[in-house]
Amino acid sequence: MWTSQTVAKGKIVYQMKNVADDIPLGSVIYTKRPLYKHYGVYIGGGRVVHFAAKKGYETNAKEAFIQETTIENFLKGDELFVEKEVSGSFSVAEVIARAKGEVGRQKGEYSLVFNNCEHFAHWLSMVKRNLLKWKRRSQWLL
């Protein structure tokens, strides 16, 4: 089981003590690394889908792809934060199906500014009406 406690700004921090039963399915989650936050989407059963490089290639942006992994592997011993639960026009089932459908795909070259794990996690859970607006903005930036 995991134990949880509410922290500032309505976010929830989970400390690794038990199973992830109380993490809402489809939630955008993240963990804090020394210089950045790493994002993913919780799909249940202690599994997370995220955008990251292959093990051993962490500094090579060309080796990044969508992966499904255990929550323990995702966290690497760090704390887990829940950023938001699924809300809007995508149901939890749709978010999870979208996440699983992306596993194994390369979503373009990883970029800290334009194409990263946070963008991917939010794209999965984004409200449908905001999806077109997000696509337009991202195309404008490129």
Side-chain angles (χ1 to χ4, degrees), residues 13 18 21 32 36 42 45 75 81 88 93-94 97 102 133 137:
V13 61
N18 303 328
D21 291 338
K32 292 179 182 177
Y36 64 96
Y42 183 68
L75 292 175
F81 295 85
E94 286 174 311
E102 295 295 324
K133 188 186 329 180
R137 284 183 185 162

Side-chain angles (χ1 to χ4, degrees), residues 26-27 41 43 86 90-100 124-125:
S27 294
V41 171
I43 61 169
V86 174
F90 284 124
S91 69
V92 170
E94 286 174 311
V95 170
I96 292 171
R98 292 178 79 200
K100 288 181 176 183
L124 286 174
S125 64

Side-chain angles (χ1 to χ4, degrees), residues 86-117:
V86 174
S87 62
S89 55
F90 284 124
S91 69
V92 170
E94 286 174 311
V95 170
I96 292 171
R98 292 178 79 200
K100 288 181 176 183
E102 295 295 324
V103 172
R105 292 185 180 178
Q106 283 192 298
K107 298 299 282 183
E109 189 170 319
Y110 193 94
S111 164
L112 287 174
V113 177
F114 299 113
N115 193 31
N116 61 41
C117 58

Side-chain angles (χ1 to χ4, degrees), residues 10 29 56 59 61 68-69 84 86 90 100 102 110 115 118 134:
I29 61 173
T59 58
E68 181 178 332
T69 190
K84 66 178 181 179
V86 174
F90 284 124
K100 288 181 176 183
E102 295 295 324
Y110 193 94
N115 193 31
E118 182 178 7
W134 180 84

Side-chain angles (χ1 to χ4, degrees), residues 56-73:
Y57 294 91
E58 285 84 356
T59 58
N60 187 344
K62 292 180 181 174
E63 296 294 328
F65 66 103
I66 309 305
Q67 307 172 37
E68 181 178 332
T69 190
T70 64
I71 201 153
E72 291 81 9
N73 202 21

